[in-house]
Amino acid sequence: MSTATTAGDQAYFSMASNPTQFAGAPFGYRILTPVIVWLLPVEATTGFVVVNILSLATVSSLLYIYLEKLNFNEKLSQLGMLSFLLSPMVLIYLWEITSTVDPLSYVFLMVGLIAIRDDNILLLSSSIFIGMLAKETTLLLVGIYGLKIWFENGIWAGIRQGIPIGIAGIIPYLGIRLIFGFESYYTISEVIRVLEHLQSSILTSPIMFLGNIYIIFGSLWILFPFGSVDLRKPILTASLVAIIPVSLQIFLGVSTTRLLFLGFPILIPISLVAFSEESTLTTMIALVAVGSGILGIVGGGVSFILGVGGLVPWVGTIFGIHELVIAYFCFQEYQTPLSKIA
C-alpha cells in the first residue's frame, strides 16, 4: 500500500505527524484531516485509512439521503449510492492514495448539498465553515446555493442571500492563512507545468487518457448530457453550472481522475434524471454497461493471470462490477426487454 504518492500526499502525511508545521501551500492550509489523524491513537498510515473508510461510508449514506430528498425512488437512490461506492476512485483512496484529504472534504460537500436542498442555512454555513479547513473545494457550495436562490427568486436574491454564506467560507479561508502566513501557489510556472503534463498525457496515449476518465463514472457519463436537458429542480440546475469549475480543475493539478471525481454529487443525480421507464436510451445504456462490465471483469481477470502488479487488475474488476450493477438496475427498475433494441 502506498501512503504518499504525490507532493500533496507527502505534505498531509507530514502534517499528521506535526500539525503545527506548515507543509507549504496549498496543502498546508488543509489541516482538518491531518489533525484528526494526529489525534487518533494509531500510526499516521493507519489513521488516514480509518478516516478515509469512515468518510467514504458516510458520504455514500449522505448521497443516498440526498437522492431521496430529490425524490428519486428507492432503487435509483440505491443505484446512485452504489455508483459512488463502486467507482474505482474509492478503491484508489482506500488502497493506493491513502494520505489524502479528499474523502473527508466530500462529507462536508454532501452535508452542504442536503442543507441547500432543505434550505437549512445554519447547517449549510456550518458545513462550509468547517469544510474549508478540509479543502477549499467546499466553496462550491456557495456558488450552488447562490445559483439556486437566483433561479428561484431572481439574481438579486441570489446575491443578497449568497453573500452571508460566502462569508462563512471566507472567514476560515483567511483565518488559517493568518495563522500560517500567506503563500502563493498556482503560479504561472505551475500552471505551465500542469498544462505540459496534460498535453503529454493526451498525446502519449489518448485512449488511455480517455479510458482513465471514463472509468470514474462509467456509463453514467453517457447518461449525464441527456439528464442535463430536463432538469426541473433549481438545485440540480445550479449543480450543473458548478460542473464548469470542477472540470477546469484539470488545469490546476496533474491528477485528472482525482480532480474530476469531485463532480460525483453533480454527475450522479443528473445522470439518474435521464432514466425513464419508456426510454430506449435506458436500454441502450444497459447494453453498453453490460459490454463495459464484461470487458472490465475479463480485463481484470487476465491481468491477475498475467501477474500484473498494483491496482490495475482490481480497478478493472471493480469497474466491471460497477457497470454490471448499472445494467442490473436498468433491467430491474424498468423491466426493459433486450428485444426492445430490435
Side-chain angles (χ1 to χ4, degrees):
M1 181 188 299
S2 172
T3 58
T5 58
T6 68
D9 302 317
Q10 293 169 7
Y12 302 138
F13 196 79
S14 173
M15 291 162 63
S17 301
N18 185 3
T20 61
Q21 181 67 41
F22 184 61
F27 317 113
Y29 300 127
R30 302 164 183 170
I31 64 170
L32 188 58
T33 298
V35 167
I36 293 175
V37 172
W38 176 70
L39 291 172
L40 293 176
V42 294
E43 63 175 349
T45 303
T46 304
F48 274 107
V49 173
V50 170
V51 172
N52 288 348
I53 290 175
L54 293 177
S55 296
L56 292 168
T58 301
V59 171
S60 66
S61 299
L62 291 172
L63 179 58
Y64 180 85
I65 294 170
Y66 179 58
L67 292 172
E68 282 204 322
K69 285 180 175 291
L70 292 176
N71 296 324
F72 288 106
N73 62 35
E74 182 180 359
K75 287 186 177 180
L76 287 181
S77 298
Q78 290 173 352
L79 173 57
M81 179 181 68
L82 290 173
S83 293
F84 172 81
L85 284 175
L86 291 173
S87 171
M89 277 309 304
V90 171
L91 174 66
I92 291 171
Y93 279 132
L94 293 178
W95 190 258
E96 186 175 67
I97 307 174
T98 55
S99 50
T100 179
V101 301
D102 291 350
L104 185 59
S105 71
Y106 297 156
V107 173
F108 296 101
L109 191 61
M110 286 310 310
V111 171
L113 285 171
I114 292 172
I116 293 173
R117 166 62 182 79
D118 293 344
D119 292 318
N120 189 330
I121 304 305
L122 178 60
L123 180 60
L124 175 60
S125 300
S126 300
S127 64
I128 292 175
F129 186 91
I130 302 173
M132 283 296 293
L133 299 177
K135 197 172 184 182
E136 307 83 28
T137 48
T138 309
L139 278 175
L140 278 173
L141 293 169
V142 178
I144 292 174
Y145 175 73
L147 288 169
K148 174 181 177 288
I149 299 301
W150 175 5
F151 297 148
E152 290 177 336
N153 303 313
I155 184 172
W156 293 116
I159 295 174
R160 186 174 62 253
Q161 297 181 45
I163 288 176
I165 299 300
I167 292 175
I170 292 173
I171 291 175
Y173 181 88
L174 294 178
I176 196 66
R177 282 158 177 77
L178 287 173
I179 294 172
F180 289 112
F182 288 81
E183 184 175 302
S184 63
Y185 52 99
Y186 297 137
T187 59
I188 294 178
S189 60
E190 175 65 14
V191 172
I192 292 175
R193 183 184 73 85
V194 172
L195 290 176
E196 289 176 344
H197 179 273
L198 184 64
Q199 181 185 41
S200 175
S201 299
I202 295 173
L203 295 179
T204 301
S205 182
I207 295 178
M208 180 176 291
F209 177 80
L210 294 175
N212 287 336
I213 292 177
Y214 183 75
I215 65 172
I216 304 173
F217 299 113
S219 302
L220 295 185
W221 281 116
I222 304 173
L223 282 169
F224 178 68
F226 293 96
S228 302
V229 299
D230 189 28
L231 298 178
R232 302 173 186 178
K233 297 181 184 299
I235 188 172
L236 289 181
T237 307
S239 297
L240 179 61
V241 177
I243 204 70
I244 297 174
V246 170
S247 301
L248 290 177
Q249 283 189 110
I250 65 173
F251 300 111
L252 300 177
V254 298
S255 184
T256 304
T257 51
R258 290 172 66 182
L259 295 171
L260 292 179
F261 189 60
L262 173 66
F264 76 88
I266 302 171
L267 189 137
I268 290 176
I270 292 178
S271 296
L272 295 181
V273 171
F275 278 78
S276 173
E277 187 169 354
E278 299 300 327
S279 176
T280 302
L281 171 66
T282 305
T283 308
M284 294 293 295
I285 292 299
L287 295 178
V288 170
V290 168
S292 299
I294 293 174
L295 285 175
I297 291 176
V298 170
V302 170
S303 297
F304 278 119
I305 294 172
L306 295 178
V308 177
L311 281 182
V312 173
W314 291 103
V315 167
T317 303
I318 292 296
F319 170 71
I321 295 173
H322 175 275
E323 292 297 278
L324 292 180
V325 165
I326 291 177
Y328 172 80
F329 273 86
C330 285
F331 293 125
Q332 282 294 309
E333 175 71 1
Y334 305 117
Q335 299 298 311
T336 310
L338 290 172
S339 60
K340 189 173 180 180
I341 294 297

